[in-house]
Amino acid sequence: MTDVDLEFARVRAVLDRPTLRLMSRPTSATVLAVFRTVFDRDVQYVPADRMHLQVEEHVARLQAAGARVPASEQNEGDDEARPNGRALCREWVAAQWLVRSNSPDGDEQYSLTSHALEALSLVDALSADRALISESRLAMIVDAVHRWAARAEPDPDVQIRRIDAQIAELQAERERLEHGDDVVAVDDDRMRDGYTNISDLIRQLPSDFKRVEEAVATMHRSIVEDFRQEVRPIGEILDDYLARTDNLMEATPEGRAFEGAFELLRDDALLLRLRDDIATILAHPFAQGLGAGERRAFRNTVTILRQGIEDVLAQRRQLTATLRDQIVAHDVVRDRELDAVLRSINRGLATLMDQGGARDRIPLPLLPAAAEVGTLRERFYDPDAESVPPPIEEPDDDVFEDLDVEMLRKHGGPLLTELRAALRFAEADSSVDAFHGLPPEQRRPVELFGLAHLLTGRDDFESAAHVAEHRTVRPDGTTITFHMPTAALDDEHRPVGDTHDENAQEAR
């Protein structure tokens, strides 16, 4: 190939890039205007529904003003040729100008690609009023070349001479200011020129960060695709791809550049100094001629840097997690079977397309036909299900012993009549002494419930601080002791008869 052929191939490859395709279309002005309006400098992600609505409104407004707009499908139900925002966004995603992704909440959202950001940055740079060659730009180049030449110098003597020269220059300037000389102020024109050059560099930052994100995503897709086609042992696959994931940022030029910038920008002292320097520049008199948007964009430089780094790191974390899940859940046998099925389907479709015509119809059921299988047995033979149940035994009438009234009274409730009489006529000073004076058959444990019932309402019984031992006798003759409060017995507080309780007791 000749030189002109090589140049032609190189230029054609550049012109085929999404950035230049976006700027070379007849409708480029409309698309770029919509992108700049929807995606402000402070807006990186827009929800899908809002994006579709805003695209429709902006494109319809520009169409009504006579601008050339991209053709799209017409919205359903619209008599007029109103653009379809969803269809336009789908076309722009296919053209690699938009990216459709999911937000942390699971909602769909759009963001600009590095190609769209690069095109917007180029438009902003060309629309600014500035000289192509200026003192600020040349000084920036000279300072950068001098700084990197000092870092590239291998001779320590030369390095020492450079440092001594810088120290001497700074010391002379310090002494001049210390003696009261005036500070050399920079005029507004030179400050504006320097501000313009810095703004040009800042405008390129979003597209640079987005390019790193896309490089990381491309690298991960390549790794996952290679992983699906691997035939090596699983242990070797894990070691290889985990190592490639760890060295992911060093495998691409964008990744290596980002790693270097990340090491520089994670220095909090450096970012704080950058924020102070930006505030000093905006405090200069020339900044009064800047618009509110320009001042806000320049002041948000540190925010742009931090947000760009966070987006790249979030993309790397997300894709690394996806890769890890792919490695853990990967089943080689299942993937091979699925691949074989899909290939057979493609071969069948290719055969049908070759044999059929343009208007031929082939019935293609969505579900396979039901298999004709006879009725299967649902239960197996169980001998216990066929056996006769055992006969019912006749109850033995002699199981229960003969019970009399006295036996029922021994196992019944408290004898309130006897208890009340004991409390009224006993020659005792307390209820516990009166209880102990009863015969054994009247000192059952259940009698304590009757005693508590008769003493309820007595202050010395309900608020007693101490309890007394009440020795009871069960119907079988065994004794058991309970602790319960007691009450004093005197003529004023002895209980009187209660026919209702007596009748109830006799009924029990």
Side-chain angles (χ1 to χ4, degrees):
M1 297 180 64
T2 61
D3 293 341
V4 67
D5 293 332
L6 294 175
E7 289 296 327
F8 175 77
R10 185 177 66 86
V11 172
R12 185 173 61 181
V14 173
L15 293 177
D16 288 339
R17 295 180 58 184
T19 301
L20 292 182
R21 282 193 284 107
L22 174 58
M23 302 188 66
S24 60
R25 289 192 174 187
T27 59
S28 298
T30 299
V31 178
L32 290 174
V34 171
F35 284 169
R36 175 55 70 197
T37 305
V38 176
F39 295 95
D40 196 3
R41 297 187 185 276
D42 299 332
V43 178
Q44 296 184 2
Y45 299 95
V46 177
D49 295 338
R50 186 190 306 172
M51 179 72 180
H52 299 158
L53 181 60
Q54 289 183 344
V55 168
E56 289 182 7
E57 295 294 335
H58 295 327
V59 174
R61 184 179 184 86
L62 293 175
Q63 185 179 14
R68 188 169 183 178
V69 299
S72 65
E73 300 176 0
Q74 185 176 350
N75 280 316
E76 297 181 0
D78 290 348
D79 298 334
E80 301 179 356
R82 182 179 177 84
N84 189 332
R86 183 184 298 274
L88 287 176
C89 291
R90 186 167 56 247
E91 294 175 3
W92 295 343
V93 169
Q96 301 181 24
W97 301 334
L98 287 179
V99 175
R100 188 165 185 168
S101 59
N102 292 329
S103 65
D105 298 334
D107 300 330
E108 294 184 342
Q109 60 184 5
Y110 287 99
S111 61
L112 295 177
T113 63
S114 61
H115 308 294
L117 291 173
E118 189 176 7
L120 293 175
S121 177
L122 183 59
V123 171
D124 293 340
L126 295 177
S127 62
D129 296 332
R130 63 179 180 86
L132 297 179
I133 299 178
S134 62
E135 177 186 359
S136 175
R137 183 171 293 269
L138 293 178
M140 186 180 301
I141 295 174
V142 171
D143 291 341
V145 171
H146 180 73
R147 184 173 64 256
W148 287 105
R151 295 184 178 183
E153 179 59 52
D155 190 353
D157 295 334
V158 177
Q159 291 276 14
I160 292 175
R161 286 197 298 270
R162 287 177 180 270
I163 295 175
D164 290 340
Q166 294 177 1
I167 293 175
E169 181 180 357
L170 295 176
Q171 185 66 28
E173 179 65 17
R174 183 181 184 282
E175 293 177 355
R176 186 182 69 83
L177 295 175
E178 190 175 12
H179 287 87
D181 295 343
D182 296 335
V183 178
V184 179
V186 181
D187 56 10
D188 293 352
D189 294 336
R190 297 177 65 184
M191 282 296 299
R192 181 178 295 276
D193 181 63
Y195 162 79
T196 304
N197 291 327
I198 297 175
S199 298
D200 290 341
L201 297 177
I202 295 175
R203 278 194 295 265
Q204 299 174 11
L205 290 176
S207 61
D208 293 340
F209 283 119
K210 184 62 69 173
R211 192 175 294 109
V212 176
E213 292 185 46
E214 295 172 354
V216 173
T218 302
M219 185 67 180
H220 273 83
R221 285 194 297 267
S222 175
I223 291 176
V224 172
E225 186 65 25
D226 293 342
F227 180 79
R228 292 175 178 174
Q229 299 177 0
E230 284 287 353
V231 293
R232 294 179 295 170
I234 187 65
E236 184 179 349
I237 295 174
L238 291 175
D239 293 340
D240 184 15
Y241 284 101
L242 290 177
R244 291 178 64 180
T245 302
D246 293 337
N247 300 327
L248 179 63
M249 298 305 294
E250 300 179 1
T252 60
E254 294 85 357
R256 290 191 294 269
F258 173 77
E259 286 292 341
F262 179 67
E263 291 293 334
L264 182 65
L265 294 177
R266 69 178 181 179
D267 186 356
D268 294 336
L270 178 63
L271 293 179
L272 181 61
R273 188 181 67 183
L274 176 61
R275 191 187 301 274
D276 294 339
D277 293 341
I278 291 175
T280 302
I281 293 175
L282 292 178
H284 194 273
F286 94 96
Q288 297 178 359
L290 299 178
E294 294 176 331
R295 295 173 63 89
R296 184 177 65 255
F298 190 68
R299 189 179 291 109
N300 291 339
T301 301
V302 177
T303 304
I304 294 175
L305 294 175
R306 291 186 180 274
Q307 186 64 40
I309 292 176
E310 180 60 29
D311 291 342
V312 174
L313 294 179
Q315 181 76 4
R316 185 169 63 176
R317 288 193 298 267
Q318 178 182 359
L319 295 178
T320 302
T322 302
L323 178 62
R324 183 180 62 252
D325 296 339
Q326 173 67 24
I327 292 176
V328 172
H330 181 61
D331 189 345
V332 178
V333 177
R334 184 179 60 184
D335 289 350
R336 289 179 181 175
E337 293 176 353
L338 179 60
D339 185 68
V341 173
L342 294 178
R343 290 181 184 275
S344 63
I345 293 175
N346 289 333
R347 288 194 299 268
L349 290 176
T351 303
L352 292 176
M353 295 298 294
D354 293 338
Q355 296 177 356
R359 296 182 179 274
D360 293 343
R361 293 186 177 183
I362 301 175
L364 186 61
L366 297 180
L367 296 176
E372 296 181 0
V373 181
T375 303
L376 300 177
R377 294 184 63 86
E378 297 181 357
R379 290 192 307 173
F380 294 98
Y381 174 73
D382 186 3
D384 294 336
E386 305 295 335
S387 62
V388 180
I392 300 177
E393 298 180 357
E394 295 294 335
D396 188 1
D397 296 335
D398 298 334
V399 173
F400 303 100
E401 298 179 356
D402 294 334
L403 299 179
D404 53 4
V405 177
E406 188 64 26
M407 181 63 66
L408 292 176
R409 286 174 60 87
K410 288 182 179 180
H411 293 82
L415 304 175
L416 295 179
T417 303
E418 288 79 354
L419 286 175
R420 182 177 291 105
L423 295 178
R424 289 181 60 188
F425 303 109
E427 296 179 0
D429 297 333
S430 63
S431 61
V432 62
D433 296 335
F435 179 77
H436 289 157
L438 293 172
E441 62 272 10
Q442 297 182 10
R443 286 192 290 115
R444 299 174 300 160
V446 72
E447 304 298 345
L448 296 180
F449 290 97
L451 183 62
H453 171 71
L454 296 176
L455 297 178
T456 300
R458 297 284 300 273
D459 295 338
D460 53 351
F461 176 78
E462 294 186 353
S463 61
H466 302 285
V467 294
E469 292 184 355
H470 291 67
R471 295 182 297 276
T472 63
V473 181
R474 290 174 175 171
D476 59 358
T478 60
T479 60
I480 183 172
T481 302
F482 293 93
H483 294 79
M484 192 177 80
T486 183
L489 296 179
D490 51 20
D491 295 339
E492 181 181 357
H493 295 92
R494 290 182 184 272
V496 297
D498 191 342
T499 58
H500 176 73
D501 290 341
E502 295 177 357
N503 295 334
Q505 175 61 25
E506 293 297 334
R508 283 195 294 271

